[in-house]
Amino acid sequence: MHHTMVERELELRLILSPERSIPVPARLTYRSDDPYAVHVSFHINSEFPVHWTFARDLLVEGVFRPCGHGDVRVWPTKSEGRSVVLMALSSPDGDALLEAPVPQVSAWLERTLRVVPPGTEGRQLGIDEALDQLLAQ
């Protein structure tokens, strides 16, 4: 089976305080062989990049309205007149609040949704075919 990967490099902002943020190079990755997930790598040019994986649906919804709880929360807002999406990430190693530009994130998400439309993720995994083979035995 042929699998597709959709990537986008962009600059996020790590929010340190209401007045201060720093740029963080990042890469968004979506793979059709892992159709429910998005993968985000931060500090992509550093020796030790940080990787996060969470539900694509969470990011899709978070562009429009607040969603998520626990380790990953996403919500839209305005920053200096620009539409941005905020991602609050929590782990035992610490917490981070990141800001991403909505136009770039939305364009990338649209590409992922063309590769694997919502509701068809299960077909990408071949679960139905595997069940049919198992039950036919």
Side-chain angles (χ1 to χ4, degrees):
M1 176 181 250
H2 172 73
H3 294 290
T4 302
M5 185 163 43
V6 180
E7 290 188 309
R8 171 79 192 244
E9 290 191 14
L10 70 160
E11 185 175 276
L12 304 181
R13 307 276 322 160
L14 176 62
I15 309 299
L16 302 173
S17 73
E19 303 81 29
R20 189 159 175 251
S21 66
I22 58 172
V24 178
R27 178 181 299 119
L28 303 174
T29 304
Y30 178 79
R31 298 187 327 254
S32 63
D33 63 335
D34 189 7
Y36 292 103
V38 294
H39 306 273
V40 186
S41 300
F42 304 103
H43 303 288
I44 56 176
N45 297 321
S46 73
E47 188 176 343
F48 302 104
V50 176
H51 305 284
W52 274 80
T53 301
F54 52 90
R56 176 176 69 166
D57 288 348
L58 186 65
L59 192 53
V60 168
E61 185 176 342
V63 169
F64 298 103
R65 68 186 72 67
C67 66
H69 50 78
D71 293 348
V72 180
R73 293 177 292 119
V74 184
W75 66 95
T77 192
K78 294 278 187 187
S79 176
E80 300 173 2
R82 299 175 303 117
S83 293
V84 297
V85 62
L86 294 176
M87 294 178 281
L89 307 175
S90 298
S91 79
D93 295 326
D95 301 327
L97 179 60
L98 294 141
E99 176 187 289
V102 165
Q104 288 93 326
V105 172
S106 293
W108 176 78
L109 281 170
E110 286 175 20
R111 288 175 49 211
T112 74
L113 295 170
R114 282 194 297 272
V115 169
V116 179
T120 67
E121 294 90 349
R123 281 187 247 152
Q124 295 296 315
L125 298 174
I127 293 171
D128 290 337
E129 293 82 7
L131 279 175
D132 287 345
Q133 288 176 0
L134 182 63
L135 295 173
Q137 295 177 356

